[in-house]
Amino acid sequence: MAGVVPSSTPSAAAPARLASLKSAAARPSPSFRLRSSSLNSLRLRRVFDLFDHNGDGEITADEFCLAMDRLGLGADPAELCSLVASFIQPGRLGLDFEDFCSLHLSLGDALFGPADGGARDEAAEEEDMREAFRVFDEDRDGYISAKELQTVLGKLGLAEGRCLNRVQEMIGSVDQDSDGRVDFFEFKGMMKTIASPTS
């Protein structure tokens, strides 16, 4: 990004920017920082890939601001760009994945307080899973249909969201009772299977 001088560590002004973002956030979702480190790492990688619009392995401040705008988050673009720039390493044009994780951790600490040191609370992890499930279960009937999955994937700008056949294949791969939809237990099993290679 032209005119931005990145630093090797977040600048001294970063905490003030984080505080202003905290005051602008109306009730941030507790799933912003999942309690399961393996699920969090997997989710962050997917978010990173979504934000990395041109696929070059870096998220520029402009890409970050564009993604936040598309998600409908009402943060001041100038503050966001300045905050992101403070996490970009010297000689780079954007955040690599490690920088992105550092930014996410700092935002989580600013919004929710410091992490609990990785202590796992099964009840809290279960609630994280339920909240993630509710994102997909738009009609709140307790199931994720192919149409609901397609809608969410489309909102995220993923190519899979354009093809109902592909979405139906995705549903079929985890649909243990062959009813054409995913219930919470199938969803939870799918998430644990996906996360297990990184745990």
Side-chain angles (χ1 to χ4, degrees), residues 133-166:
F133 182 81
R134 286 191 289 267
V135 169
F136 290 91
D137 181 19
E138 293 189 320
D139 65 6
R140 301 294 186 256
D141 68 351
Y143 298 93
I144 300 170
S145 67
K147 189 66 183 160
E148 286 173 320
L149 180 56
Q150 183 180 30
T151 298
V152 173
L153 294 176
K155 286 178 183 176
L156 292 172
L158 298 174
E160 291 91 338
R162 291 187 220 120
C163 178
L164 187 58
N165 287 341
R166 175 68 185 116

Side-chain angles (χ1 to χ4, degrees), residues 21-150:
L21 287 176
K22 180 178 182 177
S23 64
R27 284 183 61 191
S29 166
S31 70
F32 177 85
R33 179 174 60 211
L34 295 178
R35 292 160 189 91
S36 166
S37 59
S38 59
L39 285 176
N40 204 33
S41 178
L42 175 70
R43 186 196 57 178
L44 281 178
R45 184 77 235 186
R46 290 188 174 166
V47 171
F48 180 86
D49 292 341
L50 284 171
F51 281 27
D52 181 14
H53 189 68
N54 63 1
D56 66 354
E58 293 183 349
I59 301 172
T60 64
D62 288 337
E63 285 175 322
F64 190 89
C65 291
L66 176 64
M68 298 299 274
D69 185 55
R70 285 182 177 168
L71 291 170
L73 301 175
D76 177 28
E79 281 186 20
L80 265 183
C81 286
S82 180
L83 174 64
V84 170
S86 72
F87 282 82
I88 297 173
Q89 299 296 316
R92 300 188 76 96
L93 297 176
L95 301 166
D96 64 13
F97 182 62
E98 287 182 23
D99 298 335
F100 181 70
C101 290
S102 295
L103 172 61
H104 179 265
L105 180 63
S106 293
L107 286 170
D109 288 350
L111 295 171
F112 304 107
D116 61 5
R120 292 191 58 191
D121 177 2
E122 287 186 23
E125 185 172 332
E126 179 88 358
E127 184 51 37
D128 285 339
M129 289 278 196
R130 288 195 181 279
E131 186 170 341
F133 182 81
R134 286 191 289 267
V135 169
F136 290 91
D137 181 19
E138 293 189 320
D139 65 6
R140 301 294 186 256
D141 68 351
Y143 298 93
I144 300 170
S145 67
K147 189 66 183 160
E148 286 173 320
L149 180 56
Q150 183 180 30

